[in-house]
């Protein structure tokens, strides 16, 4: 098992602005954002809809460009998508014309690895997420939870240094969600990549992360940072604190 | 709860029953002289005519030339429609520029253009194939353009995040993403091909099923005329079924 090959790298966000203009009206989504994520750290971004957390994630992924400021991953400025970062979306985004195995092979194809190599790594990743038996099934033949497992396997195919997750489990029912959270925690230990998780769920954020970053306001800014406590009473207090900040 | 799907052994029976009922009704209206049997030949007259054209081999020679013309026209139009459609669908400016024209051409009844094709290409195979191409290319083109333009944005985004750009993004995501819509266009095109070809053959050809229908009618061999019409129905159903099977074989992931 090629565990812990993808040692996570640090993310530095400095003076980040993101603006959209639509029909002359300017919409400032993020303004002067400063955020440092340590190598190997598991950080959750939490906030209400429209606070810019998904935008921040896509900026780190390189799918969008900053209006001002910079994002550095492992000391290099982000200018576009790269194999060092992968993103997992809420709606799985599996290619319906590919089987589970072929989906996991996709990023390896893009990275230019050989046919046998792709097959071997993809099988191994499917095994890691517990889906070796479903390798030849198409997405439409998999349950939502299984599809998201394939999504995770695909994201880990190229040993990314940064794993970005945009509300990956919000479509799942409670039991499935439980299993997926457990899997994500295991994967973080095993692959040792840096993880940035965007979520709506305070419990999910507190349970999984080393640090919870609360975003709020318009334009979005960081209103608090919380390091989840192992102590039950402290954790309950933290939960209340974050909920209060979110205005729940 | 009652099962709303019929049992497997019932399916072929249910499929056959309306056809048998139709043939019986056809026989009946001529038996009771509701319709003059010299104008609407009863199935009992059509069956021997069908046997005659089959056993003499005439049918297969005409079927061969009809299918060849329809097939050549369809193949040319399919390749052109898909290739050009993918290019247009991917480039929004080109799409805005070409789509209205394609829409106009699609609305033109192909048969109305037959005289023009005959003037340009002469009577015979070339003008008939040209008509098939014309009838098939526009629906194929438009559904390809629609499919390529409507590829799930999430899939494009996911592919980009995994390093797909340019040509590879196109070949590995946009094209398969557009396939369901392309297949719909091709199926539509296949039925148009036969439809238009038979019409063209009725007007300006010296072989082919369409020509035989017209010839039999002009020489007042009415049962033979109906025999050829029955053949057209069978060929249409068979082609459509073959296409469905082919699509399921090639693209098992497509929604049924």
């Amino acid at each position: 098992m090629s565990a812990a090959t993808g040692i996570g790298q640090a993310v530095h966000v400095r003076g980040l602005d993101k603006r959209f203009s639509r029909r002359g009206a300017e919409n400032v989504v993020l303004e002067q954002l400063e955020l440092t994520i340590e190598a190997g750290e598991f950080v959750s971004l939490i906030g209400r809809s429209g606070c810019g957390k998904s935008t921040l994630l896509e900026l780190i992924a390189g799918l969008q460009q900053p209006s001002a400021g910079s994002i550095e991953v492992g000391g290099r400025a982000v200018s576009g998508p790269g194999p060092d970062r992968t993103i997992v979306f809420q709606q799985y985004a599996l290619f319906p014309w590919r089987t589970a195995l072929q989906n996991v092979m996709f990023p390896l194809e893009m990275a230019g690895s050989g046919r046998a190599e792709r097959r071997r790594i993809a099988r191994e990743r499917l095994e890691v997420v517990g889906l070796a038996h479903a390798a030849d099934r198409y997405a439409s033949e998999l349950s939502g939870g299984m599809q998201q497992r394939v999504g995770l396997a695909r994201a880990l195919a190229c040993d990314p240094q940064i794993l970005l997750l945009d509300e990956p489990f919000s479509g799942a029912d409670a039991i499935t969600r439980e299993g997926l959270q457990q899997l994500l925690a295991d994967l973080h230990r095993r692959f040792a990549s840096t993880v940035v998780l965007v979520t709506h769920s305070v419990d999910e954020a507190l349970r999984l992360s080393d640090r919870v970053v609360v975003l709020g306001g318009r334009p979005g800014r960081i209103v608090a940072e919380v390091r989840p406590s192992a102590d039950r009473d402290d954790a309950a207090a933290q939960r209340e604190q974050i909920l209060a900040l979110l205005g729940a | 709860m009652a099962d709303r799907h019929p049992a497997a052994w019932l399916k072929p029976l249910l499929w056959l029953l309306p056809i048998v009922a139709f043939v019986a009704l056809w026989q009946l209206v001529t038996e009771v002289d509701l319709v003059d049997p010299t104008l609407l030949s009863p199935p009992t007259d059509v069956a021997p005519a069908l046997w005659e054209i089959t056993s003499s081999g005439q049918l297969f020679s005409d079927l061969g030339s009809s299918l060849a013309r329809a097939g050549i026209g369809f193949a040319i139009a399919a390749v052109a429609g898909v290739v050009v459609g993918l290019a247009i669908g991917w480039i929004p400016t080109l799409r805005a520029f070409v789509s209205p024209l394609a829409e106009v051409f699609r609305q033109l009844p192909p048969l109305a253009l037959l005289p023009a094709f005959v003037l340009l290409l002469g009577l015979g195979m070339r003008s008939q194939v040209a008509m098939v191409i014309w009838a098939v290319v526009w629906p194929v083109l438009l559904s390809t353009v629609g499919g390529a333009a409507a590829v799930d944005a999430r899939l494009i985004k996911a592919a980009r995040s995994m390093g797909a750009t340019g040509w590879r993004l196109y070949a590995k995501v946009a094209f398969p993403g557009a396939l369901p819509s392309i297949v719909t266009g091709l199926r539509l095109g296949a039925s148009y091909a036969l439809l238009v070809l038979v019409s063209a053959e009725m007007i300006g050809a010296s072989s082919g099923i369409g020509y035989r229908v017209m010839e039999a009618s002009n020489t007042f061999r009415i049962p033979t005329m109906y025999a050829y019409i029955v053949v057209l129905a069978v060929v249409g159903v068979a082609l459509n079924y073959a296409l469905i099977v082919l699509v399921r074989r090639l693209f098992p992931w497509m929604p049924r």
Side-chain angles (χ1 to χ4, degrees):
Chain A
M1 184 101 276
S2 68
T5 44
I7 300 299
Q9 283 182 323
V11 181
H12 293 281
V13 177
R14 294 196 186 93
L16 183 72
D17 285 3
K18 184 63 187 174
R19 293 182 291 269
F20 295 99
S21 43
R22 189 170 288 172
R23 290 194 211 99
E26 185 146 276
N27 179 18
V28 183
V29 181
L30 297 168
E31 193 167 47
Q32 287 299 304
L33 195 89
E34 303 280 338
L35 178 66
T36 295
I37 299 167
E38 304 297 335
E41 193 180 16
F42 193 132
V43 169
S44 288
L45 302 176
I46 196 165
R48 312 202 85 165
S49 299
C51 72
K53 55 193 192 301
S54 293
T55 305
L56 176 57
L57 206 67
E58 291 197 0
L59 283 160
I60 298 173
L63 289 169
Q64 297 188 34
Q65 299 303 317
S67 306
S70 70
I71 298 172
E72 277 177 16
V73 170
R76 280 198 311 270
V78 170
S79 59
D84 54 335
R85 289 151 286 138
T86 49
I87 184 161
V88 176
F89 297 99
Q90 181 188 344
Q91 311 92 337
Y92 326 129
L94 297 185
F95 303 118
W97 53 87
R98 286 177 169 243
T99 62
L101 186 73
Q102 290 167 340
N103 262 285
V104 181
M105 283 162 64
F106 186 88
L108 297 158
E109 277 167 52
M110 293 302 119
S113 35
R115 185 174 286 267
E117 174 87 348
R118 297 202 293 256
R119 206 158 261 285
R120 184 184 65 74
I121 296 175
R123 284 208 174 277
E124 195 183 281
R125 293 296 185 270
L126 279 179
E127 225 162 86
V128 169
V129 300
L131 280 183
H133 63 283
D136 296 324
R137 286 201 229 160
Y138 289 99
S140 61
E141 300 167 324
L142 300 172
S143 70
M146 288 166 94
Q147 288 188 48
Q148 196 55 296
R149 280 171 188 264
V150 177
L152 284 168
R154 183 173 70 177
L156 292 167
C158 287
D159 290 314
Q161 275 120 38
I162 319 278
L163 179 59
L164 305 162
L165 304 126
D166 192 359
E167 295 180 38
F169 311 140
S170 50
D173 62 75
I175 296 168
T176 309
R177 193 173 180 134
E178 185 73 24
L180 288 167
Q181 287 175 353
Q182 188 60 53
L183 176 66
L184 179 58
D186 290 346
L187 292 174
H188 179 232
R189 264 195 298 281
R190 183 168 208 157
F191 288 87
S193 46
T194 309
V195 177
V196 186
L197 170 72
V198 162
T199 179
H200 268 129
S201 161
V202 178
D203 292 319
E204 184 168 282
L206 284 171
R207 176 180 169 190
L208 293 172
S209 20
D210 300 315
R211 182 160 52 117
V212 181
V213 173
V214 185
L215 286 163
R218 260 172 192 277
R221 56 190 182 82
I222 295 170
V223 293
E225 295 192 19
V226 176
R227 290 190 177 276
S229 167
D231 182 272
R232 280 182 67 167
D233 292 338
D234 286 352
Q238 286 177 332
R239 185 173 182 276
E240 294 308 314
Q241 180 202 347
I242 295 172
L243 284 171
L245 283 166
L246 293 173
Chain B
M1 271 288 269
D3 190 354
R4 294 167 66 86
H5 294 283
W9 62 269
L10 249 175
K11 269 187 184 167
L13 271 178
L14 286 176
W15 188 83
L16 215 59
L17 198 66
I19 296 173
V20 171
F22 172 77
V23 173
L25 187 70
W26 177 4
Q27 184 73 36
L28 190 71
V29 293
T30 54
E31 289 292 333
V32 300
D33 267 337
L34 204 65
V35 184
D36 185 346
T38 52
L39 302 180
L40 177 66
S41 318
T44 43
D45 288 353
V46 174
L50 202 54
W51 172 248
E52 191 205 313
I53 57 173
T54 314
S55 57
S56 70
Q58 184 66 59
L59 172 65
F60 301 107
S61 130
D62 284 306
L63 201 56
S65 60
S66 282
L67 287 179
R69 289 172 192 149
I72 292 169
F74 175 79
I76 294 173
V79 171
V82 169
V83 169
V84 176
L86 282 172
I88 295 173
W90 197 237
I91 306 165
T93 337
L94 204 58
R95 184 165 77 235
F97 189 71
V98 177
S99 290
L101 193 63
E103 201 63 66
V104 169
F105 285 156
R106 184 162 85 145
Q107 300 305 331
L108 270 177
L111 215 54
L113 288 167
L114 183 61
F117 284 128
V118 170
L119 281 175
L120 291 168
L121 302 167
L123 264 172
M125 173 147 171
R126 284 204 298 172
S127 54
Q128 286 155 20
V129 170
M131 265 201 36
V132 171
I133 294 175
W134 181 273
V136 174
V137 78
W138 304 116
V140 171
L141 181 83
L142 285 167
S143 56
T144 306
V145 169
V151 175
D152 193 337
R154 293 169 306 162
L155 297 183
I156 301 279
K157 205 197 253 183
R160 281 183 56 220
S161 81
M162 290 181 274
T165 51
W167 167 248
R168 286 199 301 179
L169 185 61
Y170 194 83
K172 296 204 175 247
V173 184
F175 175 63
L179 263 177
S181 175
I182 292 174
V183 164
T184 306
L186 288 175
R187 280 188 59 186
L188 204 63
S191 64
Y192 285 2
L194 207 63
L195 207 78
V196 164
L197 178 76
V198 169
S199 313
E201 284 176 342
M202 291 175 86
I203 298 169
S206 50
S207 65
I209 305 288
Y211 167 72
R212 293 298 166 198
V213 171
M214 212 58 193
E215 186 204 32
S217 160
N218 289 339
T219 55
F220 224 68
R221 290 180 295 131
I222 304 304
T224 307
M225 180 190 87
Y226 285 111
Y228 278 114
I229 292 174
V230 168
V231 168
L232 283 174
V234 172
V235 169
V237 170
L239 271 182
N240 189 46
Y241 184 74
L243 273 177
I244 291 174
V245 170
L246 187 72
V247 168
R248 277 188 198 165
R249 210 22 96 70
L250 288 177
F251 314 115
W253 51 272
M254 269 187 203
R256 297 267 161 94

